Amino acid sequence: MRKILFLVVCSAAIVLAGCAPKTPLAPEQDDQAAKQFQPRTGLGAIYVFRKKQFRDRQYLLPVTLDNQLIGHISEYEYLRIDVKPGRHVITIRGAANIKAEELDVEADTIAYVEFLNDGDYRFYRSVSEEDGQNAIKKRDMARKHISGVFPALP
């Protein structure tokens, strides 16, 4: 009886260990380059990062820029998105998505957007350069589905 119980417990542990998805990470050199916090000449950059939280840790959340899927982030991960100057809308879609964050990004500047989960509500907030850089330095860079420079909205 103990052997059967042991096998059941081991099998359940193996199955559950595979249930927590992890976003594929960007190459280390991309992560290190992004952590230099230098926008490309004539362009802006947006860093989107997710806090480590006690709820929804296992979910990979899709990040869209101007309604175009950029990638997915898990807890304690970030994405850097190079953009043309102008208006952009960042959305992280989830079961209780509340709103999107609209940004006006200027050339040669960086915007930092933090994704928060406060109980049953998800929201975004722009943070200062200092807070954004400190948070990014502690996170891993998620791999983007698409790359390149994204144009501004009309």
Side-chain angles (χ1 to χ4, degrees):
M1 180 67 176
R2 284 187 167 176
K3 286 184 181 180
I4 293 173
L5 180 61
F6 177 77
L7 289 173
V8 169
V9 170
C10 287
S11 297
I14 290 170
V15 168
L16 291 176
C19 291
K22 186 82 170 139
T23 307
L25 297 178
E28 182 66 27
Q29 64 268 22
D30 292 352
D31 184 45
Q32 292 305 314
K35 289 178 178 171
Q36 297 302 309
F37 304 107
Q38 295 295 319
R40 292 170 53 187
T41 303
L43 300 175
I46 302 171
Y47 285 81
V48 181
F49 61 96
R50 185 173 168 193
K51 287 187 86 163
K52 183 173 180 137
Q53 298 168 313
F54 297 108
R55 294 182 55 164
D56 297 334
R57 292 185 304 201
Q58 71 275 18
Y59 296 117
L60 300 178
L61 300 176
V63 177
T64 62
L65 175 75
D66 305 332
N67 292 319
Q68 185 172 6
L69 179 65
I70 301 299
H72 290 76
I73 56 174
S74 182
E75 68 173 2
Y76 247 69
E77 292 177 347
Y78 76 96
L79 286 170
R80 176 192 162 123
I81 308 165
D82 293 314
V83 296
K84 290 188 178 176
R87 184 174 65 91
H88 296 279
V89 178
I90 292 284
T91 306
I92 300 176
R93 301 200 187 280
N97 189 38
I98 301 302
K99 69 176 187 83
E101 180 75 10
E102 188 171 312
L103 303 166
D104 284 316
V105 181
E106 297 178 14
D108 304 316
T109 64
I110 298 175
Y112 300 90
V113 178
E114 179 179 33
F115 174 73
L116 300 163
N117 185 354
D118 182 18
D120 292 330
Y121 299 99
R122 292 186 173 134
F123 61 96
Y124 317 89
R125 68 176 184 178
S126 294
V127 298
S128 70
E129 180 178 349
E130 180 181 0
D131 290 344
Q133 288 184 6
N134 287 336
I136 297 300
K137 289 175 184 175
K138 300 174 189 172
R139 287 166 171 74
D140 294 320
M141 183 180 202
R143 184 182 306 257
K144 291 189 283 191
H145 296 310
I146 57 175
S147 60
V149 176
F150 297 90
L153 291 173

